[in-house]
C-alpha cells in the first residue's frame, strides 16, 4: 500500500475487491431489510384486521425492498398506522416510506365469492 492509502494491487485485483465490497454491502442491506420487515410487519399486524404482503416493488438500483403490503384497518386506526410508519422512519432515517390510502378493501375480497365475478364466469 502507498503512503496516501492508495492500493498497490493490480487493476484486476482492485476490481475484484470492489465487487466483493459491493456484494458485502448488498448482503448487509438484505439482512437489515429482513430485520426491519419483521419488526414493521409485527407492529402493523397489531393494528390491522388483515395484512397482505404484496412482494417486491419497483425500486432504484441502490435500494433494497423492505416491505410492500396492503392492510385492512378500521377507520379509527388509520392514524395509528401512520404513527407506526413515522416511528420506523424516525428510527431508520434511510427508509423511504409511501403510505397511501385509505382505499376500498379490494385486496381483501375473494373474487370467487364476489357476485359479479360469479356472474361473469356463468356467461
Amino acid at each position: 500500500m502507498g503512503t496516501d492509502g492508495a492500493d498497490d494491487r493490480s487493476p484486476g485485483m482492485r476490481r475484484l475487491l470492489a465487487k466483493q465490497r459491493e456484494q458485502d454491502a448488498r448482503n448487509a442491506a438484505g439482512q437489515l431489510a429482513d430485520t426491519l420487515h419483521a419488526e414493521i410487519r409485527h407492529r402493523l399486524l397489531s393494528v390491522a384486521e388483515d395484512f397482505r404482503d404484496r412482494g417486491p416493488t419497483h425500486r432504484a438500483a441502490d435500494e433494497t425492498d423492505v416491505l410492500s403490503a396492503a392492510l385492512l384497518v378500521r377507520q379509527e386506526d388509520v392514524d395509528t398506522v401512520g404513527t407506526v410508519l413515522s416511528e420506523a422512519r424516525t428510527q431508520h432515517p434511510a427508509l423511504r416510506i409511501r403510505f397511501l390510502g385509505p382505499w376500498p378493501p379490494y385486496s381483501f375480497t375473494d373474487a370467487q365469492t364476489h357476485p359479479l365475478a360469479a356472474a361473469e364466469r356463468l356467461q
Side-chain angles (χ1 to χ4, degrees), residues 29-48:
Q31 290 173 347
L32 178 58
D34 289 346
T35 299
L36 290 174
H37 179 277
E39 289 175 11
I40 295 169
R41 186 176 191 276
H42 176 75
R43 296 209 44 219
L44 291 172
L45 280 170
S46 71
V47 177

Side-chain angles (χ1 to χ4, degrees), residues 29-30 32-34 37 55-60 63-68 95-96:
L32 178 58
D34 289 346
H37 179 277
T57 60
H58 298 290
R59 60 178 171 75
E63 293 179 333
T64 301
D65 284 326
V66 173
L67 175 67
S68 177
L95 284 177
R96 183 172 55 97

